[in-house]
Amino acid sequence: MLSAPLAQQIARETSEVIGYNVLITDDHGIVIGSGDTSRLGSFHEASVDVLASQQAAWHTAAEAQRLRGVKPGMTLPIVIDGAAVGTVGITGSPRQVRRFGLVVRRQTEILLQESVELRSRLLRERALEELVRDIGSFDADVVDPAFLAGRAKELGFDLTAQRTVVIVEVDEPVPAGGGVPDVATLRPEVLRTLRQTFGSADLVAAMTAGRFAVLPVLGRRSRGTAEDRLRLGQVAVRAVASEHGFASRAGVGGAARGIAALREAYADAGDALHLGKGCEPGETAYVIDGLRGHQVLAAVGHRARSRLVSLVAGPLATQADWPELRATLIAWCESGFNLVRTADALHIHRNTLIYRLEKIERLTGRPWRDHRSTLTLYLACHASQLDSP
């Protein structure tokens, strides 16, 4: 529990403050920290009785001479949770150093306790990160799902409850004037914000400096619909912006129950984040349900997508206004081939819409009311979006 580096740091800094040499031993009486570094590694005989009795001891010059490795002063036990884990000694006349004894001992115990708690928190954070990564890479042929569920339960999370996965990606802020802290520096604060935004039953972990994973329970707050899950992503993005001023985006997977389904939701959340940035510009949260077609197109590879665009939308893709024509085709299909709804979605006049559709017909040779051909063009438009810079 009492590490040598920490003991040496405490001993050195405390010695400098009080003006007397401070010495710290482990639970065997071996010196592991001292303002006088020549005493490191030596045996401090007076510590043995102090450890056993958990009572302070004072030694005059004459008494110290009879003990191995001891100088005049006082020795106090370091007690954590009722157990003596070491001692702290102050060298000098017992009458002079006595007034520092209890303060130095208490300060040493506080610093040690803080170090233990910090290490415990760091170990827990690492365990949570590893758990989420193992869920994201789960393979039933390699890992027993009950093993992961057991690890999660030890950490206080029930993976049998219905959950989804939200992956939040935080932008690195652009310095303005005097500069701003980077995401890596504020990672613990962003992590704390996300945990406060969600709930104690929702598993939240930092994956990289700017990426966080949230596995919220769905039953308490939603029915698990696409709209409800999208709202979870939006809530996360707003919380990061409100508390830290960072822009961020969130990808949300499907509703899942059990390790295998969570693995799919994790992959879907990553896909939603990647695809949504290009296919839903202007939005900051994306749910996989509306991006399934894009997900399939992304899976076939760049070469197949390029061939589809070339064969189906070749004449259109060479036009200067191709992004505009592409958006028109997508809106036309997603508005149920209805002129009024499409024009409203694009915020243009009905006549402008008809002009664009007639241009598409002229360049492709396919009637814009031929819905089957238009649906093929729709796929080509999304394939083009995926490969656009």
Side-chain angles (χ1 to χ4, degrees):
M1 179 181 287
L2 186 56
S3 69
L6 175 62
Q8 178 57 24
Q9 179 184 352
I10 294 172
R12 184 185 67 251
E13 294 177 355
T14 307
S15 298
E16 292 172 355
V17 170
I18 69 174
Y20 293 92
N21 184 58
V22 172
L23 172 149
I24 297 176
T25 76
D26 63 12
D27 57 353
H28 297 292
I30 303 300
V31 178
I32 57 175
S34 176
D36 176 5
T37 55
S38 66
R39 300 184 70 180
L40 292 173
S42 64
F43 176 63
H44 190 261
E45 188 175 355
S47 293
V48 176
D49 288 339
V50 171
L51 286 164
S53 66
Q54 294 191 17
Q55 298 294 320
W58 293 264
H59 302 90
T60 63
E63 292 170 333
Q65 284 184 342
R66 295 193 293 269
L67 297 170
R68 180 180 167 190
V70 179
K71 293 185 178 183
M74 68 181 305
T75 306
L76 304 99
I78 301 173
V79 180
I80 302 294
D81 295 331
V85 298
T87 68
V88 57
I90 308 175
T91 303
S93 166
R95 183 173 56 83
Q96 293 175 323
V97 301
R98 187 185 187 105
R99 65 183 185 274
F100 297 111
L102 293 179
V103 174
V104 171
R105 169 189 168 179
R106 185 57 184 150
Q107 185 65 21
T108 301
E109 289 175 345
I110 290 172
L111 291 173
L112 178 58
Q113 189 67 48
E114 288 178 348
S115 174
V116 170
E117 290 174 358
L118 175 60
R119 177 174 173 79
S120 177
R121 288 197 299 270
L122 291 174
L123 289 173
R124 178 176 171 80
E125 289 299 338
R126 190 173 304 159
L128 290 174
E129 292 170 17
E130 291 176 355
L131 174 64
V132 173
R133 287 195 177 92
D134 287 346
I135 290 171
S137 60
F138 173 71
D139 184 341
D141 293 331
V142 177
V143 179
D144 183 353
F147 173 70
L148 284 184
R151 278 173 52 194
K153 189 172 183 179
E154 289 175 358
L155 292 167
F157 298 98
D158 177 14
L159 295 187
T160 65
Q162 187 182 47
R163 297 176 181 265
T164 189
V165 178
V166 181
I167 295 181
V168 182
E169 184 179 71
V170 181
D171 284 342
E172 191 72 43
V174 178
V180 293
D182 59 21
V183 174
T185 302
L186 293 181
R187 170 176 162 172
E189 284 75 13
V190 175
L191 191 61
R192 187 179 303 112
T193 294
L194 289 172
R195 285 181 176 153
Q196 291 172 347
T197 300
F198 289 88
S200 59
D202 301 325
L203 173 54
V204 183
M207 308 313 295
T208 61
R211 183 170 281 210
F212 304 83
V214 185
L215 279 65
V217 176
L218 294 176
R220 303 190 323 274
R221 60 171 65 83
S222 73
R223 296 164 296 167
T225 64
E227 292 77 11
D228 289 338
R229 284 179 280 116
L230 177 61
R231 196 172 300 115
L232 294 174
Q234 293 168 337
V235 165
V237 169
R238 285 197 297 268
V240 171
S242 173
E243 292 296 323
H244 308 286
F246 291 163
S248 63
R249 291 157 305 283
V252 187
R257 190 184 297 275
I259 307 295
L262 278 173
R263 184 256 177 271
E264 297 301 323
Y266 186 95
D268 285 344
D271 285 347
L273 181 61
H274 171 70
L275 297 168
K277 288 187 287 187
C279 299
E280 296 183 9
E283 300 296 330
T284 56
Y286 327 99
V287 66
I288 192 62
D289 303 57
L291 295 165
R292 291 295 186 190
H294 304 76
Q295 190 179 36
V296 172
L297 286 170
V300 302
H302 172 72
R303 181 175 297 179
R305 292 195 301 271
S306 295
R307 187 164 184 267
L308 176 65
V309 174
S310 176
L311 292 174
V312 176
L316 294 177
T318 60
Q319 299 297 304
D321 59 349
W322 167 231
E324 184 178 85
L325 296 175
R326 182 175 63 193
T328 300
L329 277 166
I330 291 173
W332 174 238
C333 292
E334 293 182 353
S335 299
F337 309 106
N338 182 282
L339 289 172
V340 174
R341 287 199 295 269
T342 304
D344 288 343
L346 294 169
H347 306 292
I348 60 176
H349 193 274
R350 182 175 183 275
N351 291 341
T352 303
L353 172 60
I354 292 174
Y355 168 79
R356 291 184 188 177
L357 291 173
E358 288 177 344
K359 181 177 181 179
I360 291 169
E361 179 177 320
R362 185 171 67 254
L363 290 170
T364 63
R366 298 173 181 173
W368 53 271
R369 290 193 180 278
D370 180 351
H371 297 165
R372 184 172 182 178
S373 295
T374 306
L375 283 172
T376 306
L377 274 170
Y378 173 77
L379 291 175
C381 288
H382 282 309
S384 171
Q385 272 187 328
L386 290 175
D387 295 321
S388 295

